[in-house]
Amino acid sequence: MSDAAPKPDELFKARLDKLRRWRNELEIDGYGQRTDGLIPLAEARAMFDEAADDAWRAAEDAEESIDDPRPQVLVAGRCVQHREMGKLAFLVIRDATGDLQISCSKGDLDTNSFRLARKLDYGDVIVAGGRMGRTRKGEICVWADRFELASKSLQPPPEKWHGLQDPELRARRRHVDLFTNPEVLQTFTARSQIISSIRRRMDARGFLEVETPMMHPVPGGAAARPFTTHHNALGMPLFLRIAPELYLKKLIVGGLPKVYEINRNFRNEGVDRSHNPEFTAMEVYEAFSDHHGMADLTESICREVAEELSGGTAVRPFGEIEIDWSSPFVRLDWRDTFTKVLGFDPSDEAKVRQAAQGLVENAATADGWVLANALFEERVEPTFDPSRPTFVFDYPSVISPLTRSYADRPEYCGRWDLFAGGMELGTAYTELNDPLEQRRRFEEQLGGMDDEMAKERTLDESFLDALETGMPPTGGLGIGIDRVVMLLVNATSIRDVIYFPLLRPESASEENPCDE
RNA sequence: GACCUCGUAGCUCAGUCGGCAGAGCAGUGGACUUUUAAUCCAUUUGUCGUGGGUUCGAGUCCCACCGAGGUCACCA
């Protein structure tokens, strides 16, 4: 890595030459040292003292000599603006808390430090010490009496006013995006706070956070296609997990009453504004609960997190709409809503077949309930109010192989899907805990697969062994954290809430990575 | 996987009807002790995504490929 050839780019070379010159002439190495006593820029700005500044200014005008009453600060940041004016240099540095101007007067700095300040580049990281004051134009700033280079930036920066605009470049060079577009840092900070808040609330409710395998010998718990990999020493194929569901249920069998996991899932599918191949999900399992218990849990967690972020009642903008997190979530019944929108009962197979013509690929041979589900997605989901989080309860059993059906109406099962902002956020089940029924459903599922999919799917005997050991009635929940974050921070693309979304390799060298 | 749109300097973008490759920022040299996207003077920067084709002549038109953005499909 260290011996990577410098880019023969002229801007890069200009900066490298400057660094070499400074090393020779200013006796610095350009990469700084540990520095104690630094304070964030926002804190330094808050220390500005109007009275002290006035007193100092008055004394200066009167040419009196007094003890400088202005607060002394030591700060660090990346240079985002630089103006030199003869014997003065003004620069603006940025850290995670904001921007602050550093004013450098030739009279206040030693010769080398002033030369450094005068020729500093956009992107360089510096340490500056001095008094908090104002300029004649009223800008609050540090009047530097100490000025050091903490890290030379060799990469040419983006345009200082527009920053990086190209969505691809922003994702590829997120480290640049983060400092040139401050709202990006806000978004990702909010993401971290949201996840932390969810964890605190789950912990407070007595759930235990656990970690289960990311590499699965048998992929399961969802219908998505997995990524495949291989373990050399054991000579076995492995799959990156598509869901942690089956492992978490084993923990319920083992006697852990309330567990959750927040971690990555991997699905080998298309990429769009709401899908990244790896995404963060929370799954929750609670013994002796059911899908209604999971609905109440989900609603209260979402509301509390949104209200914490809003500092009160939460009606948060999302694209063209505002999403109301504080009002009770809308709760619909799958069958009722279907009937209301389409005008016939989903069990009326003839009508379903007629209405679903051309909607799915194998419409002629597909199961009536599968077609009804397609109709629901196509015709009913768009009728939901995107500004109100909406639960849809009790889906058809046929499309829910891990869910327990109702004894008195076995074609439906205890499940909901949650929608908001036009996206599906999550799903919850009253988990199927009858091992014989589960085996039957799995076999049915495998029978309906084409050869390609069947290669990636086998019956998970170890999961069935767990169910056969006896799993208490259980409520289970899965919720897409990236999508929740999108809604809460008003990001309309999942790429805006994932630091490093998957991109195609930029160059040949990335396709064949060397041993770095 | 299909379709639509886009790809011009390090960045942000113009480029008309097919006729010399452009601007701002950034860079370099200079002036300036109160700037605010500082200003002023001087100045450097191109595989017009790649390859082919049409044409006297292609950034511009056509084809293929690569990449991106979007729409759809896939994702119980």
Side-chain angles (χ1 to χ4, degrees):
Chain A
M1 190 70 213
S2 57
D3 57 0
K7 298 185 180 178
D9 177 71
E10 296 214 14
L11 297 178
F12 187 96
K13 195 171 164 297
R15 285 168 173 247
L16 193 57
D17 288 346
K18 188 179 281 188
L19 175 61
R20 286 176 177 146
R21 229 166 29 241
W22 282 346
R23 281 178 167 167
N24 289 332
E25 298 170 14
L26 306 185
E27 293 174 348
I28 57 172
D29 80 340
Y31 291 99
Q33 296 294 334
R34 165 176 172 164
T35 305
D36 294 325
L38 291 167
I39 60 172
L41 296 182
E43 198 177 307
R45 178 182 292 279
M47 284 169 68
F48 171 73
D49 180 339
E50 193 83 59
D53 192 56
D54 289 346
W56 174 254
R57 206 172 281 256
E60 259 196 333
D61 289 346
E63 291 180 20
E64 288 167 23
S65 152
I66 60 169
D67 281 346
D68 194 336
R70 302 172 301 172
Q72 177 88 33
V73 298
L74 186 64
V75 295
R78 190 182 295 273
C79 176
V80 293
Q81 283 183 49
H82 179 263
R83 295 181 277 275
E84 51 152 332
M85 271 206 53
K87 298 189 179 67
L88 277 176
F90 299 103
L91 49 134
V92 177
I93 61 172
R94 177 171 292 165
D95 73 5
T97 67
D99 293 357
L100 186 62
Q101 179 168 305
I102 310 296
S103 304
C104 301
S105 168
K106 192 177 183 188
D108 294 344
L109 285 166
D110 64 79
T111 311
N112 283 355
S113 296
F114 187 69
R115 282 181 65 189
L116 183 66
R118 252 190 114 211
K119 291 296 171 193
L120 203 74
D121 284 323
Y122 181 24
D124 292 348
V125 180
I126 59 116
V127 169
R131 302 285 183 170
M132 288 305 304
R134 273 195 205 274
T135 64
R136 260 176 227 165
K137 293 287 171 68
E139 183 73 32
I140 291 173
C141 67
V142 178
W143 280 105
D145 52 34
R146 173 179 171 186
F147 194 91
E148 294 160 12
L149 184 59
S151 185
K152 180 73 191 131
S153 177
L154 296 175
Q155 286 286 351
E159 215 268 352
K160 69 181 174 185
W161 187 241
H162 298 94
L164 279 189
Q165 295 292 316
D166 180 352
E168 183 195 356
L169 265 186
R170 290 181 47 205
R172 273 191 207 289
R173 305 191 70 211
R174 188 69 85 190
H175 48 290
V176 175
D177 189 33
L178 279 163
F179 85 79
T180 53
N181 300 321
E183 68 282 2
V184 174
L185 181 57
Q186 304 295 317
T187 295
F188 282 103
T189 304
R191 180 194 169 108
S192 293
Q193 288 165 344
I194 288 164
I195 292 174
S196 163
S197 176
I198 292 171
R199 280 209 165 88
R200 279 200 310 279
R201 289 165 203 291
M202 292 303 295
D203 294 346
R205 284 165 172 78
F207 286 86
L208 191 68
E209 181 170 10
V210 298
E211 289 161 283
T212 62
M214 311 290 276
M215 296 194 291
H216 291 186
V218 180
R225 300 192 55 184
F227 288 94
T228 60
T229 184
H230 186 263
H231 189 288
N232 290 340
L234 299 181
M236 69 189 283
L238 283 170
F239 301 88
L240 299 189
R241 76 177 187 190
I242 54 176
E245 173 152 357
L246 304 187
Y247 284 95
L248 290 170
K249 285 186 193 170
K250 287 182 185 176
L251 299 184
I252 297 290
V253 171
L256 282 73
K258 299 166 86 171
V259 295
Y260 75 103
E261 176 164 10
I262 296 178
N263 221 321
R264 231 66 69 80
N265 292 331
F266 307 86
R267 298 189 178 179
N268 207 337
E269 286 152 8
V271 173
D272 64 32
R273 270 192 306 180
S274 59
H275 295 81
N276 193 60
E278 56 175 305
F279 64 98
T280 302
M282 176 169 77
E283 288 208 6
V284 181
Y285 292 85
E286 181 175 4
F288 296 102
S289 184
D290 64 5
H291 67 295
H292 289 105
M294 292 296 110
D296 295 341
L297 176 72
T298 302
E299 180 167 350
S300 63
I301 296 262
C302 286
R303 178 173 301 120
E304 288 169 22
V305 169
E307 290 184 346
E308 181 180 326
L309 206 64
S310 304
T313 305
V315 178
R316 300 188 63 86
F318 180 68
E320 304 291 304
I321 61 171
E322 291 190 320
I323 297 181
D324 178 357
W325 297 95
S326 286
S327 301
F329 290 11
V330 176
R331 298 191 181 212
L332 302 174
D333 178 80
W334 189 89
R335 181 185 174 187
D336 285 353
T337 318
F338 183 102
T339 307
K340 202 171 288 172
V341 173
L342 289 160
F344 54 87
D345 193 275
S347 64
D348 187 338
E349 192 169 332
K351 286 201 168 139
V352 166
R353 285 196 180 280
Q354 195 188 356
Q357 251 170 7
L359 208 59
V360 290
E361 276 173 32
N362 330 318
T365 54
D367 184 277
W369 288 106
V370 171
L371 294 178
N373 179 57
L375 271 177
F376 190 90
E377 289 178 2
E378 188 71 20
R379 303 277 300 278
V380 183
E381 284 180 16
T383 68
F384 300 160
D385 179 354
S387 68
R388 297 289 304 280
T390 300
F391 289 110
V392 179
F393 279 86
D394 297 344
Y395 275 69
S397 300
V398 169
I399 60 164
S400 316
L402 293 161
T403 313
R404 186 198 279 204
S405 301
Y406 289 107
D408 55 344
R409 43 185 182 120
E411 62 275 29
Y412 291 102
C413 63
R415 163 182 168 183
W416 53 255
D417 278 17
L418 173 63
F419 300 87
M423 287 190 292
E424 187 189 335
L425 291 189
T427 186
Y429 306 149
T430 292
E431 302 295 341
L432 176 55
N433 63 340
D434 174 343
L436 304 180
E437 175 66 6
Q438 184 66 81
R439 182 180 290 276
R440 196 186 62 75
R441 299 267 199 111
F442 276 163
E443 282 168 351
E444 208 172 73
Q445 201 183 6
L446 286 170
M449 279 181 184
D450 58 37
D451 292 348
E452 188 64 24
M453 287 175 80
K455 260 188 253 170
E456 296 159 350
R457 257 340 145 82
T458 44
L459 204 62
D460 190 337
E461 285 293 347
S462 81
F463 173 63
L464 288 170
D465 176 89
L467 285 195
E468 286 159 3
T469 304
M471 182 172 85
T474 297
L477 159 69
I479 188 160
I481 296 295
D482 307 286
R483 291 185 181 175
V484 171
V485 172
M486 284 170 67
L487 293 174
L488 292 177
V489 304
N490 192 16
T492 48
S493 169
I494 200 167
R495 290 186 167 194
D496 294 334
V497 299
I498 293 176
Y499 276 120
F500 303 106
L502 185 75
L503 300 170
R504 284 189 163 86
E506 191 170 18
S507 62
S509 64
E510 252 183 89
E511 280 175 272
N512 303 300
C514 307
D515 49 339
E516 293 186 18

